[in-house]
Amino acid sequence: MSTGHLSTAVLPAPRAALLPALGAVYRAQLSRARVARLPLLFVATFQSLGIMVMMRGVVTTGSADAAAARDVVAGATVLVVAFVALNLLAQYFGRLRATGGLDHYATLPVSAASVVLGTAGAYASFTVPGTVVTAAVGCALFQLSWVHLWVLVLVVPLSGAALSGIGAACGLLANRQEIATLLGQLGMSAALLLGVLPPSHMPTAVQWLRDLLPSTYGVEALARTFATHPDWPAVAVDLAVCAAVGVLSLALAAWAYRRAATRA
């Protein structure tokens, strides 16, 4: 009796659905970044606290500077998110591309969107304590109301999404790791100068540039809630713009990931 050889082909595993894949990437990145959590929290928070203390010597707590005080506290709070989303994510994805780390994700049955979203979400999670501490200290320094700080539940993830997409795209599109680091630091500098300084103290041309910064709308939404009678429709519009920009920037980052993975 003759026997034939049974040939088998190794087929790639079916691609996982977005939400389960996103959860898996998020947990893996959260566990991997846990070692650097304390230094990350300290640097991001200390930087924002230092800027607020410095601005306290320039902006008073009187009624004349009330709007400026709200802008400073809101900008410094969102700056904690920007430090991670723009600076650290650009460095991380730039290093991942430069060292061939994208090959690891290419072997997994996960989509580009789940890799970008999961990584961005894990890094952004570490900013939550820092944003709360910064906002609370800022309210104490500038004598602002704490009543509506719950809006951070919306401001942090929406601002984080808008900035994370840009930070990830910078790291993935840069052809050298050094350029990715430079782009992240430039983005961080823009968030610092345009986000923390009160717009009333800026020239008109610089205010236009400020409107192009995605985190501006998160800063504006948070700043409005410090008012005695917040303009909630305007807050909702700012958050909606932030969400729309977040969707676009994360889509850009997912495209940049697929582009970088195919060229790795």
Side-chain angles (χ1 to χ4, degrees):
M1 183 175 67
S2 62
T3 60
H5 294 287
L6 181 62
S7 61
T8 59
V10 179
L11 299 177
R15 188 171 293 276
L18 176 62
L19 290 181
L22 173 60
V25 173
Y26 174 83
R27 289 189 298 271
Q29 290 292 342
L30 197 66
S31 176
R32 185 173 302 173
R34 189 171 298 165
V35 177
R37 177 175 56 182
L38 290 180
L40 174 63
L41 286 176
F42 177 79
V43 172
T45 307
F46 181 79
Q47 176 180 247
S48 290
L49 292 177
I51 290 172
M52 282 197 306
V53 171
M54 179 182 67
M55 293 300 297
R56 181 63 181 82
V58 178
V59 178
T60 65
T61 58
S63 58
D65 272 351
R70 294 194 292 265
D71 291 330
V72 168
V73 175
T77 301
V78 175
L79 186 64
V80 179
V81 181
F83 177 81
V84 174
L86 287 174
N87 195 12
L88 296 186
L89 268 182
Q91 293 182 35
Y92 172 78
F93 277 108
R95 182 173 66 252
L96 202 67
R97 178 181 178 181
T99 58
L102 294 179
D103 294 339
H104 167 70
Y105 288 106
T107 62
L108 302 178
V110 295
S111 64
S114 63
V115 174
V116 172
L117 284 171
T119 305
Y123 273 74
S125 296
F126 294 129
T127 68
V128 174
T131 56
V132 174
V133 170
T134 302
V137 172
C139 288
L141 275 176
F142 292 90
Q143 300 176 15
L144 300 177
S145 172
W146 301 41
V147 176
H148 302 301
L149 283 186
W150 57 264
V151 81
L152 287 173
V153 175
L154 298 173
V155 170
V156 171
L158 293 179
S159 299
L163 295 173
S164 294
I166 295 176
C170 288
L172 290 166
L173 292 176
N175 55 8
R176 293 173 53 191
Q177 185 176 351
E178 295 80 6
I179 295 178
T181 300
L182 175 62
L183 292 175
Q185 291 176 346
L186 288 176
M188 176 64 189
S189 299
L192 193 160
L193 295 174
L194 301 178
V196 177
L197 296 179
S200 58
H201 293 51
M202 297 180 181
T204 302
V206 179
Q207 292 183 28
W208 293 341
L209 290 176
R210 184 175 182 269
D211 292 338
L212 298 176
L213 189 67
S215 59
T216 295
Y217 301 95
V219 172
E220 292 286 347
L222 180 58
R224 293 181 196 277
T225 64
F226 291 133
T228 305
H229 302 289
D231 185 352
W232 291 112
V235 172
V237 170
D238 285 330
L239 292 176
V241 172
C242 209
V245 174
V247 171
L248 293 176
S249 66
L250 289 170
L252 172 65
W255 171 82
Y257 171 85
R258 288 191 292 268
R259 179 178 179 273
T262 56
R263 295 188 177 188

